[in-house]
Amino acid sequence: MQAKINKIGVLTSGGDAPGMNAAIRAVVRSCAFHGVECAGIFRGYQGLIEGDIEELNARSVKNVISRGGTFLKSARSKEFMTKEGRQKAYDHIKKSGLDALVVIGGDGTFTGGLIFNSEFNFPIIGIPATIDNDIKGTDYTIGYDTALNTVVEAIDKIRDTASSHNRLFLVEVMGRDAGDIALNSGIGAGAEEILIPEENTGVDRLIDSLKKSKKSGKTSSIIVVAEGDKSGKNIFELAEFIEENLDDYEIRVSVLGHIQRGGSPSCYDRVLASKLGVGAVDALLNGESNIMVGIHHQQVVSVPLKTAIQGGAKFDKNLRRVADITSI
Amino acid sequence: MQAKINKIGVLTSGGDAPGMNAAIRAVVRSCAFHGVECAGIFRGYQGLIEGDIEELNARSVKNVISRGGTFLKSARSKEFMTKEGRQKAYDHIKKSGLDALVVIGGDGTFTGGLIFNSEFNFPIIGIPATIDNDIKGTDYTIGYDTALNTVVEAIDKIRDTASSHNRLFLVEVMGRDAGDIALNSGIGAGAEEILIPEENTGVDRLIDSLKKSKKSGKTSSIIVVAEGDKSGKNIFELAEFIEENLDDYEIRVSVLGHIQRGGSPSCYDRVLASKLGVGAVDALLNGESNIMVGIHHQQVVSVPLKTAIQGGAKFDKNLRRVADITSI
Amino acid sequence: MQAKINKIGVLTSGGDAPGMNAAIRAVVRSCAFHGVECAGIFRGYQGLIEGDIEELNARSVKNVISRGGTFLKSARSKEFMTKEGRQKAYDHIKKSGLDALVVIGGDGTFTGGLIFNSEFNFPIIGIPATIDNDIKGTDYTIGYDTALNTVVEAIDKIRDTASSHNRLFLVEVMGRDAGDIALNSGIGAGAEEILIPEENTGVDRLIDSLKKSKKSGKTSSIIVVAEGDKSGKNIFELAEFIEENLDDYEIRVSVLGHIQRGGSPSCYDRVLASKLGVGAVDALLNGESNIMVGIHHQQVVSVPLKTAIQGGAKFDKNLRRVADITSI
Amino acid sequence: MQAKINKIGVLTSGGDAPGMNAAIRAVVRSCAFHGVECAGIFRGYQGLIEGDIEELNARSVKNVISRGGTFLKSARSKEFMTKEGRQKAYDHIKKSGLDALVVIGGDGTFTGGLIFNSEFNFPIIGIPATIDNDIKGTDYTIGYDTALNTVVEAIDKIRDTASSHNRLFLVEVMGRDAGDIALNSGIGAGAEEILIPEENTGVDRLIDSLKKSKKSGKTSSIIVVAEGDKSGKNIFELAEFIEENLDDYEIRVSVLGHIQRGGSPSCYDRVLASKLGVGAVDALLNGESNIMVGIHHQQVVSVPLKTAIQGGAKFDKNLRRVADITSI
């Protein structure tokens, strides 16, 4: 049986995502609600190794819910991948009197937490926060909804200039190996084509489709390309290939880049982060460990961390069909 | 058995919601995909009565996905509540060669569709679009997610001025008899208190809570009040009541009003509208009628219209707890 | 001759405006640049009376440029209107070693500064920051451009729903006795009519205009009403009056309220605030006092505070003509 | 003396800019106001050559004021650079009964207009619309203010992730040979460094500055780089150079690209476009030709087209000083 939880540490790690601040806030206020102490660890596991830790109370997280990024800052720690690094981290945990950790991030964050738990038998709860939505066991990750809105707003702007000039735009969006951002934002932005890593449809099919699209009376086109797309060409090569194989189109490339990671979180992400932050503290106080709190069918659920890191694989064939139909 | 569907009419009715255009677009393009003709009916059932009908093809709905409102316009038709009105509508349906109707709106829209179907045995499919999220059988209605973001962005702005002046703001949000907008946007905006019609907690509890909040070091406060709140006071009376019972707070009232109905739809609402628009045509071609296509556990589902109009009742006690904890 | 300036105090007072943080930041960093100490005074003149003062360095104002409101908070101080209050304020100035004050706000702020200077011969520089743009001697005040964008975005949303329903909306905007916000946002939002306090055109003209507008084929209308409008009716009475005198229009009222004061400042307001903050410290180091730094023909200019408080009176007849022509 | 103006043609040409629709709308409604006919020419001079011309009335431009891009579409026409092309254009002008042209665009657009006028003595008025603000004789061009806001919002998002990770971001912004966008958006976004084509400060100064910035306690940095920057390195080479010469910084590059050309125009751009559109028709009816209507000291002014095309050169040394001071 697990010892009583008197003090909880919270950190954010890996790529930042909008809503991380809302999750931290929910953890901190949940601690205050339950009369448990709370400490913030700066710069993820690296800050734990260096003892960069600060007490947080309910007022410490005032007005952070609306802000992108993470005020605890994030990092990828190489030192934490070593046994020595993790030992130093554990020493600081003892020194700070922490009884459990809430780690907010993606699969790298959870993997680190799992290893740490296995070595020190220290209670760990994960909260999924990454714009890529590539975590198993949760329908949505914190930051994903905001990133979708950011992408759609950006492509709406690009559409203005594409329509004005009868141009073809290739727009690269994030998502690592997951096509969720590309597929959903592509539908949302009314993209004519969407290239995602889960499919390898080949560039010839793309050329055919663009020809058909032109014939049907479309004068401008947006193609959304996921960064992990398997066409074998990067987006600039793809642009060249299309230019060589298609007449009459002026082609432009836009790599949306890091704007997708920032920005004030959407209402959905703020509420999700609030639910999961509260859920993480609930789980700890219920004696759970080594789990991620996720959202499934709108309910907060507990998922073993080792399941969570098995990757998203949320590719939805019905959504591809919706994309094909609505871009006709 | 139902006759073959060769031509589908689509209309929007009742209060408009962001994403209605995306839903129309999906219906129109889905018709094009299946080789079925499509006609848009202007101003809801009233336009049907007056024969205000226009052929739509895939190109007719170009660039509408990003726009708020409904290009088919909406209306509440008193004439359609009469037998004579519905007969006129049916005459125009026959004249235009329509074999089925997709009606996009809320419970009033669906009720009208049900009556019409019962009288003329004419195939009707509903698509739920209302910012209030008060339709049974669908987890979300089109427009709700956008409205939440609009409310949260507005309250973020109000928070700027509230914090600068140590003020208390009462912010009224829409939702008719449903507290979904208030509860979710209240959590998202970090409101100190949320008053919703599903609860009748009384104003005394509010005064107590505000006193506690002040003691805990909060210098400004946002109270979100649903328009259907059951406290027995309208928001201006409530402001007066608080002013009389609480020292030291300057109080301001903000009624967000109709900005909540407009604006470019969020990615979520655009994708949802695309799915349901495609789903509505699928359902018709599968011989379904008298149903609403809704979203449940991320899947498109068919729900009898008579179920859909039974009201939302989605009040989630866990969410109220999350609100209470995160506003501590 | 003025004594050497070794330490500058900065405060924000009166109604808050987006860009105040950018102005504070520019003052603080300008002090750092010139090797002068800087102190922030919280809650305007009231904080000066209470000695609520904190040293600020270049890092203290990190990341504030993008935030609405004022992190120094603002207030309207009744005590500062008394000789005793101002004496207390002066005592704290001496105690804190301040040699000069930069006061950021509107005419009330400047009037307070003028009186304080006349009593204690203490160097004061004003920076104009108010969404109302009603300060003489500066083409623009900080916050005005942001408020215009906020209003236009809000009315764009209202337009969505107005168009969808063929409705007439009365939208009340801020501006106290100045019609600048109403006239500019009204043109920007494509309003059919704009009622401003500088004109008293009478409600009969409005009714005539709306009738003409209907005849010309307009199916929805937006009327922007400045809060200080001289029609003799408040906006709700105006709505009733129109309803009684005009058939066929459904009328709705929207009072935009305090969202107009908040929000992340526009680029223009951030740059303006940066220029004026730098200019204020320049002016102090040049021995100036009792002036406001304003913007005129894109140059930073010095304007006597007693001129600045004489009111804006920027009503531009050409702009009214542009409004009338473009709303035809 | 010029013949009476009974019908005016309007076109947009060159790179599109937010606010072009607002300018077209003002021209069209101004024609309606003065009882003059109006025709829209699609795809700039190319559409004139091909006779792609359509009558426009006051209702044709309904609801376009809020939309980015140009509904008349734009193009760069090679054919118009030939005598034959221009003859065809003139033939269509005669056929359509046009008495004058309003051309909305930048220096290429105006140069085309000048040549056309010199050959056919046909009345031409220019309206400056380009996000680059590089037209002589007008303080601002239509679209510039919107682009600044778009850039600042994008960098705010990048700042979120930069701060979370203690990273250095190089952000490329548009502007061709003009540094206006870079300098103003850089100040507005609180960039640590701004590289513009008007200066050739060398990369060594940049490295020095970044070292100093690190020493002063800054943990993340944003460097805004104008696309026309004269450092002799493109932005990716620049990133490599910094990485080689600076320790401890993780560097990322973001090329903002075409999102800068789109989006709903700011209030400022909508009002400016409305003023200039009205001014252009006024000028024509006053018998003016071969001029651009610009804005100078907030007044609409007439500037010879041959002056306008001499380039912007608005580099403001004071603004550079403001940038240096506020980024300390």
Side-chain angles (χ1 to χ4, degrees):
Chain A
M1 211 210 85
Q2 193 174 292
K4 197 171 172 306
I5 305 283
N6 292 312
K7 189 168 182 182
I8 294 174
V10 57
L11 60 81
T12 49
S13 163
D16 62 313
M20 280 185 158
N21 279 326
I24 299 166
R25 172 180 178 270
V27 169
V28 171
R29 296 214 164 156
S30 211
C31 285
F33 177 82
H34 292 293
V36 171
E37 282 181 90
C38 188
I41 297 143
F42 287 83
R43 291 174 300 118
Y45 294 121
Q46 189 58 34
L48 201 58
I49 291 172
E50 301 175 15
D52 196 357
I53 302 171
E54 205 171 84
E55 309 286 308
L56 297 176
N57 63 42
R59 294 287 71 71
S60 313
V61 289
K62 187 176 149 181
N63 286 353
V64 305
I65 196 170
S66 63
R67 294 196 189 133
T70 156
F71 79 93
L72 289 180
K73 291 171 185 280
S74 186
R76 289 188 169 85
S77 170
K78 282 186 191 161
E79 206 176 341
F80 196 71
M81 294 180 188
T82 67
K83 175 81 195 157
E84 292 71 30
R86 291 191 295 271
Q87 182 62 51
K88 281 190 204 164
Y90 187 70
D91 295 347
H92 278 297
I93 276 181
K94 291 288 105 181
K95 211 165 141 188
S96 303
L98 300 181
D99 301 314
L101 267 189
V102 175
V103 298
I104 304 170
D107 52 8
T109 306
F110 296 166
T111 304
L114 264 177
I115 298 173
F116 191 73
N117 173 277
S118 74
E119 288 174 354
F120 300 100
N121 191 25
F122 189 77
I124 302 271
I125 301 280
I127 296 179
T130 157
I131 63 164
D132 301 331
N133 204 29
D134 58 353
I135 301 296
K136 195 161 184 164
T138 188
D139 296 341
Y140 296 106
T141 56
I142 297 167
Y144 171 63
D145 183 65
T146 305
L148 288 181
N149 284 329
T150 301
V151 170
V152 162
E153 283 166 27
I155 303 184
D156 281 354
K157 290 190 169 79
I158 291 172
R159 173 77 69 188
D160 285 340
T161 187
S163 302
S164 299
H165 284 280
N166 296 346
R167 274 180 182 153
L168 173 67
F169 270 86
L170 300 181
V171 181
E172 186 183 291
V173 303
M174 288 186 164
R176 294 202 307 175
D177 296 328
D180 290 50
I181 291 182
L183 192 49
N184 281 274
S185 69
I187 293 174
E192 275 68 27
E193 280 293 329
I194 304 166
L195 305 182
I196 57 175
E198 287 86 351
E199 298 175 311
N200 191 348
T201 52
V203 287
D204 296 326
R205 182 187 166 281
L206 177 65
I207 299 292
D208 281 350
S209 154
L210 287 171
K211 283 181 183 164
K212 217 179 295 173
S213 162
K214 189 102 193 183
K215 239 180 246 168
S216 82
K218 294 204 176 191
T219 52
S220 66
S221 286
I222 304 280
I223 304 177
V224 170
V225 185
E227 61 181 351
D229 168 52
K230 294 281 189 301
S231 70
K233 296 181 191 299
N234 78 22
I235 195 166
F236 294 99
E237 292 166 352
L238 192 61
E240 255 180 69
F241 179 82
I242 297 173
E243 214 145 41
E244 283 161 13
N245 288 276
L246 213 66
D247 295 337
D248 283 346
Y249 262 125
E250 256 189 290
I251 301 185
R252 293 286 183 279
V253 169
S254 184
V255 177
L256 291 187
H258 279 79
I259 58 167
Q260 296 167 83
R261 293 206 170 281
S264 183
S266 68
C267 184
Y268 185 86
D269 275 333
R270 298 182 190 193
V271 173
L272 176 61
S274 299
K275 282 179 180 175
L276 297 185
V278 167
V281 175
D282 284 347
L284 277 175
L285 298 183
N286 286 337
E288 292 186 77
S289 177
N290 265 358
I291 56 107
M292 169 189 82
V293 284
I295 196 83
H296 186 53
H297 295 168
Q298 306 184 59
Q299 300 300 320
V300 175
V301 292
S302 291
V303 180
L305 280 178
K306 63 184 174 207
T307 306
I309 60 177
Q310 283 164 19
K314 297 197 188 67
F315 178 54
D316 178 352
K317 288 211 166 166
N318 180 46
L319 212 51
R320 160 52 78 189
R321 181 174 171 264
V322 169
D324 290 341
I325 291 177
T326 55
S327 63
I328 209 169
Chain B
M1 212 209 84
Q2 192 173 292
K4 199 170 172 300
I5 304 283
N6 292 311
K7 189 168 183 183
I8 294 174
V10 57
L11 60 80
T12 49
S13 162
D16 62 313
M20 279 186 159
N21 279 326
I24 299 166
R25 173 181 178 268
V27 169
V28 171
R29 297 215 162 155
S30 212
C31 286
F33 177 82
H34 292 293
V36 170
E37 282 182 90
C38 189
I41 297 143
F42 287 82
R43 291 175 300 120
Y45 294 119
Q46 188 59 33
L48 201 57
I49 291 171
E50 302 174 13
D52 196 355
I53 301 173
E54 204 169 86
E55 308 288 305
L56 299 175
N57 64 40
R59 292 289 70 70
S60 314
V61 289
K62 189 176 150 182
N63 286 353
V64 305
I65 195 171
S66 62
R67 296 199 188 131
T70 157
F71 81 92
L72 289 180
K73 293 174 185 279
S74 187
R76 291 187 169 86
S77 169
K78 281 187 191 160
E79 206 176 340
F80 195 72
M81 294 182 189
T82 66
K83 176 80 193 155
E84 292 71 30
R86 291 191 296 271
Q87 182 62 51
K88 283 190 204 167
Y90 187 68
D91 294 345
H92 278 295
I93 278 180
K94 289 289 103 183
K95 208 166 145 190
S96 304
L98 301 181
D99 300 314
L101 267 190
V102 176
V103 299
I104 305 171
D107 51 8
T109 306
F110 296 166
T111 304
L114 264 177
I115 297 172
F116 191 73
N117 172 278
S118 74
E119 289 174 351
F120 300 99
N121 192 27
F122 190 75
I124 301 270
I125 302 280
I127 295 181
T130 156
I131 63 166
D132 300 331
N133 204 30
D134 58 353
I135 301 296
K136 194 161 187 165
T138 187
D139 295 342
Y140 297 105
T141 56
I142 297 167
Y144 170 63
D145 184 64
T146 304
L148 288 181
N149 284 329
T150 300
V151 170
V152 161
E153 283 166 27
I155 303 184
D156 281 355
K157 289 192 171 77
I158 292 173
R159 174 77 72 187
D160 285 340
T161 188
S163 301
S164 298
H165 283 280
N166 298 344
R167 273 179 183 156
L168 173 66
F169 268 87
L170 300 182
V171 181
E172 186 182 291
V173 302
M174 285 186 166
R176 292 200 308 175
D177 296 328
D180 289 53
I181 291 182
L183 191 51
N184 280 274
S185 70
I187 292 174
E192 277 67 26
E193 280 293 329
I194 303 166
L195 305 183
I196 56 175
E198 287 86 351
E199 297 175 311
N200 190 348
T201 52
V203 287
D204 297 327
R205 182 187 165 280
L206 177 65
I207 299 292
D208 281 350
S209 155
L210 287 171
K211 284 182 182 163
K212 219 181 288 175
S213 163
K214 189 102 194 183
K215 240 182 240 169
S216 82
K218 293 204 175 190
T219 52
S220 66
S221 286
I222 303 281
I223 304 177
V224 171
V225 185
E227 59 181 352
D229 168 52
K230 295 282 191 301
S231 70
K233 295 180 190 300
N234 79 22
I235 196 166
F236 294 99
E237 292 167 352
L238 193 60
E240 254 179 70
F241 180 82
I242 297 173
E243 214 146 41
E244 283 162 12
N245 287 276
L246 212 68
D247 295 337
D248 283 344
Y249 263 123
E250 254 188 291
I251 301 184
R252 292 286 181 278
V253 169
S254 184
V255 177
L256 292 187
H258 279 79
I259 60 168
Q260 297 168 82
R261 293 208 170 278
S264 184
S266 69
C267 185
Y268 184 85
D269 274 333
R270 298 182 192 193
V271 173
L272 175 60
S274 299
K275 282 179 179 177
L276 297 185
V278 167
V281 176
D282 284 347
L284 278 174
L285 298 182
N286 286 336
E288 292 187 78
S289 176
N290 263 357
I291 58 108
M292 169 189 81
V293 286
I295 197 83
H296 186 54
H297 295 168
Q298 307 183 58
Q299 300 300 319
V300 175
V301 292
S302 289
V303 181
L305 279 178
K306 63 184 174 207
T307 306
I309 59 176
Q310 283 165 18
K314 298 198 187 65
F315 178 53
D316 177 352
K317 287 211 167 168
N318 180 44
L319 212 52
R320 160 51 77 189
R321 180 173 171 262
V322 168
D324 290 341
I325 291 176
T326 56
S327 64
I328 209 171
Chain C
M1 212 209 83
Q2 192 173 293
K4 199 172 170 304
I5 305 284
N6 291 310
K7 189 169 183 180
I8 293 173
V10 57
L11 60 80
T12 48
S13 161
D16 62 315
M20 279 184 159
N21 279 326
I24 299 166
R25 173 181 178 268
V27 169
V28 171
R29 297 217 163 154
S30 212
C31 286
F33 177 82
H34 291 294
V36 171
E37 283 180 88
C38 189
I41 297 142
F42 287 82
R43 290 174 299 120
Y45 294 121
Q46 190 59 33
L48 201 57
I49 291 170
E50 301 174 15
D52 195 356
I53 302 172
E54 205 171 83
E55 309 286 305
L56 298 175
N57 64 40
R59 293 287 71 71
S60 315
V61 288
K62 190 176 149 182
N63 288 354
V64 304
I65 196 171
S66 61
R67 294 196 190 133
T70 158
F71 80 93
L72 289 181
K73 292 173 184 277
S74 186
R76 290 189 169 85
S77 169
K78 282 187 191 159
E79 206 177 342
F80 195 72
M81 293 181 188
T82 67
K83 177 80 192 158
E84 292 71 30
R86 291 190 297 271
Q87 182 62 50
K88 282 190 203 164
Y90 187 69
D91 294 347
H92 278 296
I93 277 180
K94 290 290 104 181
K95 211 166 144 188
S96 304
L98 300 181
D99 300 314
L101 268 189
V102 176
V103 298
I104 304 170
D107 52 8
T109 307
F110 296 167
T111 304
L114 264 178
I115 297 172
F116 192 73
N117 172 277
S118 74
E119 288 174 352
F120 300 101
N121 192 27
F122 190 76
I124 302 271
I125 301 278
I127 294 180
T130 157
I131 63 166
D132 301 330
N133 203 32
D134 58 353
I135 302 296
K136 194 161 186 164
T138 189
D139 295 341
Y140 297 105
T141 56
I142 297 167
Y144 170 62
D145 183 65
T146 304
L148 288 181
N149 284 329
T150 301
V151 171
V152 162
E153 283 165 27
I155 302 184
D156 281 354
K157 290 191 169 79
I158 292 173
R159 173 77 71 186
D160 285 340
T161 187
S163 301
S164 300
H165 283 280
N166 297 348
R167 272 178 183 158
L168 173 67
F169 269 87
L170 300 181
V171 181
E172 186 182 292
V173 302
M174 286 185 166
R176 294 201 306 177
D177 296 328
D180 290 52
I181 291 182
L183 191 50
N184 281 274
S185 70
I187 292 174
E192 276 66 27
E193 279 294 327
I194 304 167
L195 305 183
I196 56 176
E198 288 87 350
E199 297 175 310
N200 191 348
T201 52
V203 287
D204 296 325
R205 181 185 166 282
L206 177 64
I207 298 295
D208 280 350
S209 155
L210 287 171
K211 283 180 182 165
K212 219 180 291 175
S213 164
K214 191 99 191 186
K215 240 181 245 170
S216 82
K218 295 204 174 192
T219 52
S220 65
S221 287
I222 304 282
I223 304 177
V224 170
V225 185
E227 61 181 352
D229 169 53
K230 295 282 189 301
S231 70
K233 297 183 189 296
N234 79 22
I235 196 164
F236 293 100
E237 291 166 352
L238 193 59
E240 256 178 70
F241 180 81
I242 298 172
E243 216 145 39
E244 284 161 12
N245 286 277
L246 213 65
D247 293 338
D248 284 344
Y249 263 124
E250 253 189 293
I251 301 184
R252 292 288 182 276
V253 169
S254 183
V255 177
L256 292 187
H258 280 78
I259 60 167
Q260 296 168 83
R261 295 209 168 278
S264 184
S266 70
C267 184
Y268 185 86
D269 275 333
R270 296 181 192 195
V271 173
L272 175 61
S274 299
K275 282 178 179 176
L276 297 185
V278 167
V281 175
D282 284 346
L284 277 174
L285 298 183
N286 286 336
E288 290 187 78
S289 176
N290 262 1
I291 57 107
M292 168 189 82
V293 284
I295 197 82
H296 185 53
H297 295 168
Q298 306 183 55
Q299 300 300 318
V300 175
V301 292
S302 290
V303 180
L305 280 179
K306 63 184 173 207
T307 305
I309 59 176
Q310 283 165 18
K314 296 194 192 68
F315 177 53
D316 178 352
K317 288 212 165 165
N318 180 45
L319 212 52
R320 159 52 76 190
R321 182 175 169 261
V322 168
D324 289 341
I325 292 177
T326 55
S327 63
I328 208 170
Chain D
M1 214 209 86
Q2 193 173 293
K4 199 172 171 302
I5 306 283
N6 291 311
K7 190 169 182 183
I8 294 174
V10 57
L11 60 78
T12 50
S13 162
D16 62 313
M20 278 183 160
N21 279 327
I24 299 165
R25 172 180 178 270
V27 169
V28 172
R29 296 214 163 156
S30 211
C31 286
F33 177 82
H34 292 293
V36 170
E37 281 181 87
C38 189
I41 296 143
F42 286 83
R43 289 174 301 118
Y45 294 119
Q46 190 58 36
L48 201 55
I49 290 171
E50 301 174 13
D52 196 356
I53 302 172
E54 204 170 85
E55 310 286 307
L56 298 175
N57 63 41
R59 293 288 72 70
S60 313
V61 290
K62 190 175 149 183
N63 286 353
V64 305
I65 196 169
S66 63
R67 295 194 191 137
T70 156
F71 80 93
L72 288 180
K73 293 177 184 277
S74 186
R76 288 187 171 86
S77 169
K78 281 186 192 158
E79 205 177 342
F80 196 72
M81 293 179 189
T82 67
K83 176 80 194 155
E84 292 70 31
R86 291 191 295 270
Q87 183 62 51
K88 283 190 206 164
Y90 187 69
D91 295 346
H92 278 295
I93 277 180
K94 291 287 102 182
K95 212 167 140 188
S96 304
L98 300 181
D99 301 313
L101 268 189
V102 176
V103 298
I104 304 171
D107 52 8
T109 307
F110 296 165
T111 304
L114 264 178
I115 297 172
F116 191 74
N117 173 276
S118 74
E119 288 174 353
F120 300 100
N121 192 28
F122 191 76
I124 302 272
I125 302 279
I127 295 180
T130 157
I131 63 164
D132 300 333
N133 203 30
D134 58 353
I135 301 297
K136 194 161 183 163
T138 188
D139 296 342
Y140 297 105
T141 55
I142 297 167
Y144 170 62
D145 183 65
T146 305
L148 288 181
N149 284 329
T150 301
V151 171
V152 162
E153 282 165 29
I155 303 184
D156 282 355
K157 289 191 170 79
I158 292 173
R159 174 77 70 187
D160 285 339
T161 187
S163 302
S164 299
H165 283 280
N166 297 347
R167 272 178 184 160
L168 174 65
F169 269 87
L170 299 182
V171 181
E172 186 182 291
V173 302
M174 286 187 166
R176 292 201 308 174
D177 296 328
D180 290 52
I181 291 181
L183 191 50
N184 281 275
S185 69
I187 292 174
E192 276 67 27
E193 281 292 328
I194 303 166
L195 305 182
I196 57 175
E198 288 87 349
E199 298 176 311
N200 190 347
T201 52
V203 287
D204 297 326
R205 182 186 166 283
L206 177 65
I207 299 293
D208 282 351
S209 154
L210 287 171
K211 284 182 181 163
K212 216 179 293 173
S213 163
K214 190 101 193 184
K215 238 181 243 169
S216 81
K218 292 204 176 190
T219 52
S220 66
S221 285
I222 304 281
I223 303 178
V224 170
V225 185
E227 61 180 352
D229 169 52
K230 294 284 188 300
S231 71
K233 296 180 189 300
N234 78 24
I235 197 165
F236 294 99
E237 292 167 352
L238 192 61
E240 257 180 65
F241 180 82
I242 297 172
E243 214 146 41
E244 282 161 13
N245 287 275
L246 212 67
D247 295 338
D248 283 346
Y249 262 123
E250 254 189 292
I251 301 186
R252 293 287 183 278
V253 168
S254 184
V255 177
L256 292 187
H258 279 78
I259 58 167
Q260 296 167 82
R261 293 208 170 279
S264 183
S266 69
C267 184
Y268 185 84
D269 275 333
R270 297 182 190 193
V271 174
L272 176 61
S274 299
K275 282 179 181 176
L276 297 185
V278 168
V281 175
D282 284 345
L284 278 173
L285 298 183
N286 286 335
E288 292 187 79
S289 177
N290 263 358
I291 56 109
M292 168 188 84
V293 285
I295 196 83
H296 184 55
H297 294 168
Q298 306 183 58
Q299 300 299 320
V300 175
V301 292
S302 290
V303 182
L305 279 178
K306 62 184 174 206
T307 305
I309 61 177
Q310 284 165 18
K314 299 200 188 65
F315 177 54
D316 178 352
K317 287 211 165 167
N318 180 46
L319 212 52
R320 161 52 78 190
R321 182 173 170 263
V322 168
D324 290 341
I325 291 176
T326 55
S327 64
I328 208 171

